[in-house]
Amino acid sequence: LNLCYDVPMKLLSGHLLVMAVLLVVPDWRRLRDFFWHYRSTPAGDSPCIGLPLHLRRLAPALKAIVVVWVIGSTVYAQFR
């Protein structure tokens, strides 16, 4: 519904949608099995367990960049 209003609402809705998708992607198979196939699913693992070492070291920096970008763009939009 927010996509029918002004541009700031569309930006916020887009950010929230991207964040929700990023949270769901690591557990997509488990969620699909549980909700669509009615199967029991095992407990989830940490999403970083299978990643190579250089990506595990890069993940906190990427998270910090995204957080700073989201906060910065929000503050910029408010004072513009």
Side-chain angles (χ1 to χ4, degrees):
L1 185 62
N2 282 345
L3 294 176
C4 297
Y5 293 106
D6 280 342
V7 173
M9 277 291 134
K10 292 177 187 174
L11 292 174
L12 176 64
S13 299
H15 284 136
L16 293 175
L17 179 65
V18 168
M19 287 187 273
V21 168
L22 289 175
L23 287 174
V24 169
V25 166
D27 292 323
W28 172 248
R29 287 191 181 121
R30 291 179 55 242
L31 291 170
R32 182 195 61 200
D33 286 344
F34 183 76
F35 287 110
W36 280 279
H37 300 296
Y38 303 109
R39 299 179 191 153
S40 62
T41 57
D45 293 331
S46 174
C48 291
I49 288 178
L51 294 176
L53 182 61
H54 67 281
L55 289 179
R56 279 186 280 166
R57 289 183 180 162
L58 186 63
L62 289 175
K63 288 177 187 177
I65 290 169
V66 169
V67 167
V68 168
W69 176 66
V70 169
I71 291 172
S73 65
T74 303
V75 169
Y76 177 75
Q78 290 297 320
F79 293 110
R80 191 170 63 128

